[in-house]
Amino acid sequence: MSPPVSSDLGYVPPDGGWGWAVVFGASISVGFACTFPKAFTIYFKELQAVYGISYSQIAWITSIMCATTYGGDFDLKPGIYTEWVNITSGWMTVSLQWCGDTGPESSRRLCPISSILVNRYGSRPVVMFGGLLCGIGMVSAAFCTSIMQLYICVGFITGLGLALNLQPSVIMIGKYFLKRRPIANGLAMAGSPVMLCTLAPLNQFLFDSFGWRGSFLILGAILLNCCVAGALFRPIGPGTASVKTQVTEEEKGALKQEVTEDAMEISSPTNLPMKNKTEEEGDRDCCEKINRYLDFSLFKHRGFLIYLIGNVLMFLGFFAPIIFLAPYAKHTGIDEYSAAFLLSILAIVDIVARPTTGIIANSKWVRPRIQYFFSFSIAFNGVCHLLCPLASSYTGLVVYSVFFGLAFGMVCAMLFETLMDLVGAARFTSAVGLVTIAECCTILLGPPIGGMLIDTFGDYKYMFVKCGVVMVLAGTFLFIMNYYNYRVLAKEEKERKAREEDPKTVRTENEGRNNWIKETTQGGPELELLREEQAGPKKEENGIREV
């Protein structure tokens, strides 16, 4: 069971009251952050016609937005990572010993900009500033005259604003809730599929009524509601100013102590020959500080490397189908509203798929081999994309959207739970950071590569086939390598138990340990020489004194 949050935060979270208003605001912020890049694809066809650009060029808008949003997403505190796993795993309960670690030092992880802003100003102003950036980005996009300007306004500025909305929202829920935190987080994250159900047809209605420039202006005004949501994030607990002052004074005291110790070591003549050793220790300390934030020793972890390679490959085909789903439906002659409704169908199925997958994955039959279930969900996703070109009618696309929503929800539900299963709780923070950094590259490149295939062959089916093949390969790779990993782990465990049970091995190890202790206590030849060298100057000094 995780330790109580009150011991770390300095107060007892109310688990209700104004916290439900915070949950409502978080559902708005999280909903916009997670669904706006997907719903924006409604405007792809018109923007292509206006600027005369290819599918790969138009796909860069959403790619930049997704990479900026998700890249700035996982700068959460360790305790918040636990709740994020609960959310994405369909509210599965994960018992961690570090769940309550929400101190100021633990929050400086992975994404320095967002963490610094939250630590310095709090969640409320950061979310409100993010909403302002979203509004500025979309209003500026209404006056863009080139695709490069859209990349900056929609992709980067709006994406950065969405990133600043997501992380502080989850942090605020962690400050208001303890016992009901998984429920509160689940309600907040439910805003994602609900918002997708709303935004997709709304975007189509705005486009038909006001055109794409007028729609961007209205969307900018709608995104300003993130500022209203941020205003609900009322600070709670001890004053942040006193806490920051205390932390600053402690840091200053530690710095003074280090400076004093360094000055004493430099002034001491006996330490002058140790200059090279001090430099080596300084380099080692620098590496230790870096590893404190990102544990690069994870690259020696077999299970982590398997997960990383499989997920990087998977994200090459993960987002492209959902981005091109509505444009593909329009390309086949389906009307705009029906095409937008496909995204709503996908979102509705996603709402049901995530908690259902969490329940199944948490069962006693699946839990011990959750890596296989995750591999199956990825391969199932790929099979859906491979069969999509066979859907030649609207009914076929509806069926595809249903299965796609199911497969999409399954992957999202286990995405971080499987990583937690591999690396454990203590290294989960660094593992998420390293995985996110690597995944952002393929998130950025996946949709443009799909658009390039559409430009080259003039048909969407090659994009779906590419995504399907990539995801089937990723699922197959994860299945085979996890099977190998399980076999090796079982073999290593068997060897360890055999070593512990073998009395000869235990006796040999104990004898070696006893001999080492005896040598260190009684002294060996090396220690005798050292004693003689130390005794020599003392005798000489005593002789001088006696004279």
Side-chain angles (χ1 to χ4, degrees), residues 79-103:
I80 305 302
Y81 277 116
T82 306
E83 299 310 322
W84 188 268
V85 173
N86 290 337
I87 295 163
T88 56
S89 302
W91 306 295
M92 283 195 291
T93 301
V94 183
S95 177
L96 300 179
Q97 294 301 318
W98 47 272
C99 181
D101 185 8
T102 53

Side-chain angles (χ1 to χ4, degrees), residues 285-302:
D285 292 341
C286 182
C287 295
E288 290 176 356
K289 289 179 180 179
I290 294 175
N291 280 329
R292 216 165 125 209
Y293 294 94
L294 288 177
D295 186 5
F296 289 101
S297 65
L298 282 166
F299 287 106
K300 298 178 181 178
H301 191 286
R302 184 172 55 248

Side-chain angles (χ1 to χ4, degrees), residues 96 124-125 148 152 159-160 176 181 192 233 245 258 272 357 371 410 423 450 515 521 526:
L96 300 179
R124 174 189 275 177
M148 189 61 65
I152 297 173
L160 181 60
Y176 269 91
R181 187 184 294 171
S192 172
F233 295 167
T245 304
E258 291 177 1
L272 289 176
T357 302
Q371 303 295 335
M410 289 173 64
V423 302
N515 292 334
T521 54
E526 294 84 358

